[in-house]
Amino acid sequence: MSTPKSHRIPFMEAALIEAQKAASRGEVPVGCVAVCNNQIIASNHNRREETGDPGAHAEILVLREVGRKKNRWNLSDTDLYVTLEPCPMCAGAIVNSRISTLVYGADDPKRGGVRSLYAICEDPRLNHQCLVVPGILKDRCAQVLSNFFQELRKS
């Protein structure tokens, strides 16, 4: 049974807090939280600049943390909330970790691997698909990104 949209908002708000943390550190403001049994079990944000790791996207960091906490790679009892549509790398990791539901805020027309450019999470040719719920708090999620890049252009 699918979770009503109104019940998803607090989790996306938590992901937005992570996105703000990223922005305050000069990172592209993308935040992510993992939810299991209606509780947040991991949260993070982009850390590529901080770590020098091209794979340090919010989603990857959260998936790694959940895997460590659960001591397993199969996260089929877990939902992921991300402020921006995941890129192809992250969408692939979401599929490979068997995430149940992916909820995201803003579409990413230039790099989106879930709906905008590709449909990796719902591709029937792959051995796993997850439910995709786009557009939760999309305007707020998009505004965080817009504000960040406007400030970046000023400097």
Side-chain angles (χ1 to χ4, degrees):
M1 178 175 213
S2 183
T3 305
K5 282 190 175 187
S6 62
H7 289 84
R8 297 184 191 283
I9 290 172
F11 299 126
M12 189 59 75
E13 287 175 335
L16 276 163
I17 289 169
E18 288 295 326
Q20 291 289 3
K21 288 179 189 176
S24 72
R25 294 178 173 161
E27 300 276 358
V28 174
V30 176
C32 180
V33 300
V35 176
C36 185
N37 296 322
N38 217 28
Q39 292 192 354
I40 294 173
I41 58 171
S43 61
N44 218 318
H45 52 272
N46 279 357
R47 293 180 182 268
R48 292 187 314 165
E49 300 297 329
E50 173 187 334
T51 64
D53 177 358
H57 290 206
E59 302 94 307
I60 301 295
L61 298 172
V62 166
L63 291 171
R64 287 177 179 161
E65 183 179 345
V66 174
R68 279 191 301 271
K69 285 181 175 180
K70 293 182 177 226
N71 197 32
R72 59 185 160 88
W73 65 267
N74 186 323
L75 308 178
S76 59
D77 59 348
T78 305
D79 297 337
L80 215 59
Y81 288 74
V82 189
T83 56
L84 180 65
E85 176 184 1
C87 71
M89 174 184 72
C90 293
I94 289 165
V95 168
N96 284 320
S97 63
R98 309 294 195 271
I99 288 295
S100 175
T101 303
L102 167 66
V103 180
Y104 73 86
D107 289 326
D108 188 346
K110 293 182 180 179
R111 290 170 292 281
V114 177
R115 291 263 169 102
S116 295
L117 297 177
Y118 306 99
I120 294 169
C121 292
E122 298 173 304
D123 190 326
R125 297 171 296 175
L126 299 175
N127 64 344
H128 174 76
Q129 295 84 44
C130 66
L131 174 65
V132 175
V133 181
I136 302 296
L137 300 181
K138 69 178 180 180
D139 293 337
R140 287 177 56 194
C141 292
Q143 192 62 53
V144 169
L145 288 155
S146 179
N147 292 347
F148 176 78
F149 287 112
Q150 282 177 358
E151 286 301 312
L152 199 60
R153 283 190 287 277
K154 287 180 186 177
S155 35

